[in-house]
Amino acid sequence: MESWHCLLLLCTLSLVPASGEETRNYDDSDLVSFLRSVYPGVLVRDEPFITNRDFEMNSLKELGRPVVLSIKEQSKDKPVSLDTNGSRGPVVFTKDGQIKGATLDKAHVFYGVPYADPPVGSYRWKPPRPVSPWPGVYDASFPRAACMQACRGPIAEECPRNVSEDCLYLNIFVPVDVDFSSPLRSPLPVMVWIHGGDFIAGSASKPLYDGRFISNFTHTVVVSIEYRLGAFGFLVSGKDPHTSAAGNYGILDQQAALLWVQRNIAMFGGDPSKVTIFGESAGAQSVSLHLMIQSSKPLFKQAVLQSLPFSIPLKTRHDALKLGKDFAKQTNCSASDIVCLLSLTPQAVLAAQMKTSSRIVNPFRFLEAFETWGPYIDGELIKEQALTAFQKGRWQKDKPVLLGTTSEEGVIFVYAIFNKPVSAVESTVYITAIFKQHALQVLHKYLPLYRDADRRDMLAQIITDYVFLCPARLSARSNTATGSKMWMYVFDHVVSDYRVWSGLTFCYHHACHGAELPFLFDSGSVANFTLSHPEKLLSNRMLCYWGTFAHSSDPSSRAQQTTFCREQRLPLWPRYSDTSGWLVMNITVGSHAEVGTRNHICDFWDHLGIY
């Protein structure tokens, strides 16, 4: 490293607190001024960062003004009950009333099924309440409004067009060969999808998550759920839940949806004893929390964690209260005045949420830029960080788990934040800000591997390794010794559909964060590219693994594979264990089990012990 690099690093290190010293005692304004002088413009956030798959691709564009979405009127009574005028579609008797769905290509679909009463009015910041029974036949032939959210500029094209506080609904997809007029001989496994979106965006009804194909292909009942987002789902204004917003409502919503599935899914042909919950990004974070939350234990049998950002920490109560105070300040309410906060219109809450998200990033807590709103450690529902729980074995270890990442998770994050090339000097500053006293070791490990003047690819690889891949590997290894059944994968697909956005040549050639979703849901056309024949085969194989796991708790169980999947001659996916040589399934056009290609890098991070 050149001497001036060393000088800059020493200057930066002089600002770094010693290990264990609280960073909040430092004057952030001085740090921000210093870092701005080195790399201006990157520390000021004027919009939330969204890592949900559809938003990611567009977040690389120049962002513009917020978009005004259609906000549905809040329902203060029971869900709307309609007569569907004899149109084609199955009718199901649930514990709360009759529901009429629609028979579409590949599946019977029940859209917008209420699983809780609307969290509106005085119930805005309250745990979800059981859904009230309805008379007549509920029309489940169309999706309901998504939960409150906002997007900016071009990403608004991917936003739900209708949003509402009245949003606690779920969608159900049943294979088209299921005959509702006669009893099912054998109930089907259930797969419950929890969408991502940084806990501020996304919807169960996005076209990308169309569950018809995966339901029909895997012969499972697929359920996708909405849950409260942003300030509506995660505001913490005080400690007393009776007189303040106590947070984690979005996670409680997910619990309520899982409980509804337990009570009602048998009427749709599903087996409540064979529920797999699966999610990507913030959805995977949600899944990890349910694996830790004792009250969630009876609600599902097993789990799939796709691209879980293990190293992005949940907020402490102190941090959550500080965010709540900043939010209240934007509304001209006091954080302790719940009456004032409840009187705010949905638009006012959303506006304050957006303004609170627009903040100067604390350079010592840089990773929090990726998740302003979300769950926090309240000491009751959520007791510790997910990575700590998984390392210490304080989770539901008897449940089988599929755990994996994509090969280039960090590309989206880095290129979305750094919209121009990053020099070696600038990358040194940011690595120091994030890793503090460990920065020299990180730089020594990564700098020699990257010779390009633009070091964004290096930063992207560090994010991939530190946030996603290596802590996932450590969690898996920590639990296999106790007999936990875990399977690991890396989605490493390569396609050749290139695009140019805002001067940045970006491509699906990168297996970026969320890149596996079009293959899992077979909705590649939604992401503006068409699956080629080899890619279609990859999608089929991926669905065979996920479906076989749902049926048998083992993605390679030959006995539980469909005839089609057996004909695919799928490579064996061994359980992740030292006796198998720590083999990982490389999911690509030529999928195969292999020893982790970045084991030496993960050994380095494990040795540092700073996840």
Side-chain angles (χ1 to χ4, degrees):
M1 187 188 302
E2 296 93 333
S3 60
W4 55 284
H5 284 193
C6 294
L7 177 61
L8 178 59
L9 179 56
L10 289 172
C11 291
T12 310
L13 283 172
S14 69
L15 292 172
V16 178
S19 178
E21 191 171 348
E22 286 290 339
T23 60
R24 68 172 61 98
N25 293 331
Y26 282 72
D27 187 345
D28 289 347
S29 62
D30 291 341
L31 295 168
V32 170
S33 298
F34 172 75
L35 293 177
R36 272 185 177 164
S37 69
V38 179
Y39 191 72
V42 74
L43 290 177
V44 176
R45 297 272 311 289
D46 60 358
E47 74 283 328
F49 184 82
I50 303 172
T51 57
N52 180 263
R53 174 63 164 73
D54 283 351
F55 297 107
E56 289 168 356
M57 299 302 176
N58 292 289
S59 66
L60 303 177
K61 300 180 182 180
E62 182 179 356
L63 298 176
R65 294 174 177 267
V67 171
V68 177
L69 303 179
S70 171
I71 298 180
K72 291 289 188 181
E73 288 296 319
Q74 300 172 0
S75 171
K76 296 182 180 179
D77 301 308
K78 299 172 183 177
V80 178
S81 182
L82 300 173
D83 184 350
T84 53
N85 297 319
S87 59
R88 182 170 175 251
V91 176
V92 172
F93 291 80
T94 73
K95 294 184 182 298
D96 305 305
Q98 294 183 63
I99 296 178
K100 185 169 187 177
T103 298
L104 306 176
D105 180 38
K106 295 185 177 67
H108 307 290
V109 184
F110 301 83
Y111 288 116
V113 179
Y115 67 82
D117 269 356
V120 299
S122 61
Y123 296 103
R124 173 180 282 163
W125 286 300
K126 296 293 183 184
R129 299 166 294 144
V131 65
S132 300
W134 55 83
V137 181
Y138 181 89
D139 183 2
S141 64
F142 63 95
R144 268 45 177 193
C147 290
M148 294 295 298
Q149 58 192 277
C151 303
R152 293 174 181 266
I155 60 175
E157 295 302 318
E158 310 294 347
C159 271
R161 303 316 301 172
N162 297 316
V163 295
S164 175
E165 285 196 84
D166 177 6
C167 65
L168 300 187
Y169 299 93
L170 52 80
N171 304 319
I172 305 169
F173 304 87
V174 182
V176 73
D177 64 358
V178 170
D179 184 358
F180 284 94
S181 64
S182 60
L184 204 62
R185 290 183 180 179
S186 177
L188 301 177
V190 181
M191 300 181 71
V192 179
W193 173 251
I194 304 178
H195 70 77
D198 285 342
F199 296 107
I200 60 172
S203 169
S205 298
K206 286 172 56 176
L208 180 64
Y209 305 144
D210 186 343
R212 289 178 295 164
F213 185 82
I214 184 173
S215 171
N216 198 51
F217 188 103
T218 62
H219 216 239
T220 61
V221 176
V222 174
V223 180
S224 56
I225 64 177
E226 306 281 8
Y227 56 95
R228 280 174 282 181
L229 304 168
F232 296 91
F234 300 99
L235 176 68
V236 180
S237 65
K239 296 181 180 180
D240 186 347
H242 300 291
T243 60
S244 59
N248 288 333
Y249 300 112
I251 302 302
L252 293 174
D253 292 343
Q254 296 169 9
Q255 266 195 337
L258 291 171
L259 180 60
W260 188 95
V261 168
Q262 286 296 309
R263 296 179 67 243
N264 292 281
I265 206 65
M267 277 75 89
F268 296 85
D271 186 345
S273 69
K274 296 184 72 174
V275 173
T276 300
I277 58 174
F278 68 130
E280 184 265 344
S281 193
Q285 282 183 282
S286 300
V287 172
S288 73
L289 293 177
H290 291 297
L291 282 166
M292 297 158 51
I293 297 171
Q294 190 63 28
S295 54
S296 292
K297 186 173 183 177
L299 303 180
F300 65 101
K301 180 182 180 182
Q302 56 193 26
V304 181
L305 300 151
Q306 300 172 211
S307 298
L308 170 59
F310 262 123
S311 294
I312 296 180
L314 300 178
K315 286 181 173 55
T316 64
R317 183 182 293 275
H318 176 276
D319 293 330
L321 285 168
K322 184 178 184 301
L323 181 66
K325 185 176 180 180
D326 292 342
F327 169 87
K329 185 177 180 181
Q330 296 292 339
T331 66
N332 293 321
C333 292
S334 165
S336 60
D337 189 350
I338 190 65
V339 174
C340 180
L341 292 172
L342 289 172
S343 70
L344 298 171
T345 65
Q347 295 93 329
V349 173
L350 192 59
Q353 172 193 313
M354 298 291 284
K355 290 178 182 177
T356 309
S357 300
S358 304
R359 60 192 177 92
I360 295 177
V361 176
N362 182 336
F364 286 144
R365 305 173 75 170
F366 193 74
L367 292 177
E368 292 183 5
F370 300 127
E371 197 170 281
T372 304
W373 293 90
Y376 81 106
I377 300 173
D378 59 12
E380 297 178 6
L381 187 71
I382 302 172
K383 297 181 180 180
E384 59 188 332
Q385 300 288 351
L387 186 56
T388 303
F390 275 73
Q391 282 185 251
K392 301 297 184 182
R394 293 192 285 264
W395 64 288
Q396 297 152 34
K397 299 189 297 296
D398 58 320
K399 294 184 176 179
V401 170
L402 289 190
L403 173 63
T405 64
T406 66
S407 61
E408 299 188 56
E409 299 274 11
V411 169
I412 285 293
F413 297 88
V414 169
Y415 279 83
I417 284 187
F418 297 95
N419 54 18
K420 65 178 182 178
V422 176
S423 71
V425 177
E426 295 156 352
S427 66
T428 297
V429 170
Y430 280 97
I431 288 171
T432 302
I434 296 171
F435 297 111
K436 309 175 182 62
Q437 68 270 26
H438 303 286
L440 281 174
Q441 292 167 280
V442 175
L443 289 164
H444 179 75
K445 191 71 175 179
Y446 282 86
L447 275 177
L449 304 177
Y450 295 86
R451 298 297 182 183
D452 292 344
D454 184 358
R455 297 305 175 101
R456 284 181 291 183
D457 284 347
M458 180 185 76
L459 294 176
Q461 190 62 61
I462 291 173
I463 292 295
T464 297
D465 296 337
Y466 171 70
V467 174
F468 295 94
L469 174 62
C470 297
R473 191 197 76 152
L474 179 62
S475 294
R477 291 190 174 188
S478 298
N479 288 283
T480 53
T482 62
S484 296
K485 297 179 179 179
M486 304 188 81
W487 289 261
M488 286 202 72
Y489 73 88
V490 173
F491 184 84
D492 195 24
H493 176 55
V494 176
V495 299
S496 57
D497 190 1
Y498 286 80
R499 289 155 177 78
V500 178
W501 289 332
S502 299
L504 169 69
T505 301
F506 186 82
C507 61
Y508 280 98
H509 180 86
H510 293 281
C512 296
H513 188 68
E516 81 281 15
L517 296 179
F519 296 87
L520 184 60
F521 287 91
D522 192 50
S523 51
S525 59
V526 174
N528 299 319
F529 71 94
T530 302
L531 296 179
S532 65
H533 179 67
E535 293 160 356
K536 183 67 175 177
L537 293 177
L538 169 59
S539 176
N540 290 345
R541 286 187 169 192
M542 192 170 180
L543 284 162
C544 282
Y545 284 128
W546 263 242
T548 302
F549 181 70
H551 280 268
S552 68
S553 303
D554 181 343
S556 288
S557 173
R558 306 288 184 185
Q560 291 296 322
Q561 287 178 356
T562 63
T563 301
F564 176 83
C565 290
R566 283 194 293 271
E567 292 172 350
Q568 297 295 300
R569 299 183 180 274
L570 300 178
L572 179 67
W573 186 347
R575 274 175 57 183
Y576 192 69
S577 68
D578 55 356
T579 57
S580 69
W582 301 112
L583 293 180
V584 175
M585 179 57 66
N586 185 301
I587 298 179
T588 184
V589 171
S591 298
H592 57 281
E594 64 180 16
V595 175
T597 57
R598 298 191 66 77
N599 276 345
H600 64 294
I601 295 291
C602 290
D603 290 342
F604 162 76
W605 287 107
D606 290 356
H607 179 72
L608 280 187
I610 59 170
Y611 296 124

